[in-house]
Amino acid sequence: MSATSAHNPMRDVAYVAVFAALIIVFAFFTIPGAAGVPIVLQNAIVILTGLVLGPKRGTAAAVLFLLLGLLGFPVLAGGRSLLSALAGPTVGYIVGYVISAFVAGAIAYQAKSASSRYLLLIVGAFAGLAVQYACGVVGLMLVASMDLVGALGVQVPFLIPDAVKVAIMVAIASGVHAAFPDLMQRK
């Protein structure tokens, strides 16, 4: 292992902080959605975080984002804090962000070669999105008192925009890993 690829805990902290900041920044790009759930770029950045940083650092960035929101910082769409969203219809999606970053990173970081990396980035990204949807459905059922069919129906308007966003995140993650091949070596 070269000196430049040696594990550096401070670098990991910096990656986590930068990606937590990216998650927050992209909360401010929203389009009104369905059932009080806006179309945001934030969910795609959470997936990108897992794809680029892997399961441990990606999850740490998502947790840091949530902790800042719990402290009252405006980390969500519309400049809301997490406290204001806990009782709302988006709570399941927000909780799903942490699991999503982990799942996307865990799958992506299984790549053993450049040729398998792209496929695993795709699988990881869409698995991360599926986790967000599943958690969102549960949240809608619990908080908005929807039945399963109604909660699943809320997802429909998001399918195409989210697929496009996730495809872009895969392309970005692939480019990052091509430019920084040692990134996956530091799990």
Side-chain angles (χ1 to χ4, degrees):
M1 189 179 284
S2 70
T4 58
S5 66
H7 180 76
N8 181 337
M10 292 309 294
R11 189 175 312 156
D12 290 343
V13 169
Y15 287 150
V16 166
V18 166
F19 274 84
L22 284 172
I23 294 168
I24 293 167
V25 166
F26 279 91
F28 297 97
F29 299 94
T30 65
I31 300 169
V37 180
I39 296 172
V40 296
L41 291 176
Q42 191 169 46
N43 70 320
I45 299 301
V46 168
I47 292 168
L48 176 67
T49 299
L51 296 176
V52 170
L53 297 183
K56 292 177 185 174
R57 295 175 297 186
T59 301
V63 168
L64 177 57
F65 147 75
L66 290 180
L67 289 174
L68 291 170
L70 285 173
L71 291 173
F73 290 96
V75 300
L76 298 173
R80 295 177 305 142
S81 73
L82 187 58
L83 293 172
S84 67
L86 286 177
T90 60
V91 68
Y93 299 98
I94 295 165
V95 170
Y97 283 179
V98 174
I99 303 165
S100 172
F102 178 84
V103 168
I107 294 170
Y109 269 55
Q110 294 303 309
K112 303 293 184 221
S113 66
S115 60
S116 67
R117 181 178 61 225
Y118 196 71
L119 175 63
L120 287 172
L121 287 171
I122 293 168
V123 172
F126 282 97
L129 183 60
V131 165
Q132 290 178 10
Y133 283 175
C135 291
V137 164
V138 171
L140 288 168
M141 291 171 64
L142 294 174
V143 176
S145 301
M146 291 184 167
D147 63 8
L148 179 60
V149 173
L152 287 170
V154 169
Q155 312 312 306
V156 173
F158 299 98
L159 293 175
I160 292 173
D162 282 347
V164 170
K165 291 186 294 185
V166 167
I168 293 168
M169 296 305 112
V170 167
I172 292 170
S174 180
V176 168
H177 287 299
F180 302 99
D182 287 344
L183 195 57
M184 280 192 171
Q185 304 307 315
R186 293 188 302 265
K187 297 178 183 182

